[in-house]
Amino acid sequence: PLLVTSERFRPCVVADNRQAMAMAVRRLADAGHRRIGLILIEEGWPWTVARCRSYTESLALHRVDTDSRLLHWSDVAHTHMRDLEPTTLKDQIDRLLRYLDEVRPDAIIASSSPISRLLSIAVNQAGLRVPDDLSVISFDQNPLVDAWFGMSMTTVELPLREMGRRLAEMARRLHEGLDVSDRTLLSCTLREGSSIRDVNASGESDRDAPGPL
């Protein structure tokens, strides 16, 4: 049998992407952010669908802006990590720069390492400061993300070590002829960094500010 970490196959061990996204939105909403953006890759993977749905539901739950333009789609997933440089991402960066200028999110959730790289370049070109001008939460514990933004990033960390342990246990049980769960769902954790501005502590009224005209 094939043991995987994708919900497209069974049996599988996967991160709870709905829980992960709900946790990220709640963290930003609790910090006083009202226009919380999300950048997702244009793929039909189950994790993309789960994160998108949870994001939309969480915005409504926390009574923050539900402007559909805050959700930005990118095809950066087709670019290899070693090629994530400004010259190879010009079209994606230009699209993201327009998004930042026209939609004006006050916080963004970057849903993967490649998207974090794309966002770090766009933020730099736009002359924005993280977290003073824009709070950011990244997904995946890629150590390069901190270097890209020049700070310790607040990050949704996937339970990679536990996923590996559970897969090994499933392989052992299958080898012994024992039953295994069809789908094992593991919670993600939030690693706090310095990439979120606490709007409430600053005494600003971002929640009452109108969106872009």
Side-chain angles (χ1 to χ4, degrees):
L2 178 68
L3 301 179
V4 297
T5 57
S6 169
E7 292 194 69
R8 284 186 173 180
F9 309 97
R10 295 290 191 274
C12 64
V13 177
V14 294
D16 188 341
N17 287 288
R18 292 182 64 86
Q19 171 263 337
M21 183 57 65
M23 178 173 59
V25 172
R26 181 175 65 250
R27 175 67 179 87
L28 293 169
D30 287 347
H33 291 284
R34 181 182 179 216
R35 293 187 61 77
I36 302 171
L38 170 64
I39 308 175
L40 278 172
I41 61 171
E42 294 177 337
E43 293 282 353
W45 290 97
W47 68 263
T48 302
V49 175
R51 291 180 188 180
C52 184
R53 289 177 178 172
S54 181
Y55 165 75
T56 302
E57 294 168 359
S58 296
L59 293 183
L61 176 66
H62 294 286
R63 299 182 179 180
V64 296
D65 281 3
T66 56
D67 183 349
S68 62
R69 297 175 304 163
L70 287 165
L71 177 58
H72 181 80
W73 295 95
S74 169
D75 63 5
V76 71
H78 299 298
T79 305
H80 194 279
M81 287 295 293
R82 65 170 175 266
D83 297 323
L84 293 176
E85 298 299 330
T87 54
T88 60
L89 296 174
K90 185 178 185 307
D91 289 343
Q92 289 292 326
I93 294 170
D94 288 345
R95 285 184 58 214
L96 189 49
L97 286 170
R98 288 194 297 272
Y99 165 80
L100 292 171
D101 180 58
E102 296 172 4
V103 180
R104 301 295 180 105
D106 60 16
I108 288 179
I109 301 168
S111 65
S112 69
S113 296
I115 285 177
S116 290
R117 176 54 173 159
L118 178 70
L119 180 60
S120 70
I121 297 170
V123 165
N124 182 62
Q125 291 190 10
L128 298 175
R129 299 165 300 167
V130 176
D132 295 343
D133 302 316
L134 182 72
S135 290
V136 176
I137 290 181
S138 65
F139 262 77
D140 306 339
Q141 49 269 43
N142 186 329
L144 292 174
V145 175
D146 288 357
W148 291 336
F149 284 93
M151 67 179 64
S152 173
M153 297 295 292
T154 297
T155 304
V156 174
E157 295 192 333
L158 306 183
L160 300 179
R161 187 180 298 276
E162 181 62 14
M163 289 167 70
R165 191 189 71 78
R166 295 291 185 95
L167 285 172
E169 175 64 16
M170 288 172 64
R172 182 191 65 78
R173 290 182 61 85
L174 287 171
H175 179 72
E176 296 175 357
L178 302 174
D179 292 335
V180 298
S181 297
D182 186 56
R183 175 174 178 262
T184 301
L185 200 61
L186 301 177
S187 296
C188 298
T189 57
L190 188 70
R191 185 195 74 185
E192 288 289 347
S194 56
S195 61
I196 296 178
R197 178 171 62 96
D198 190 338
V199 177
N200 296 321
S202 67
E204 299 179 22
S205 55
D206 285 29
R207 284 186 178 272
D208 299 323
L213 299 177

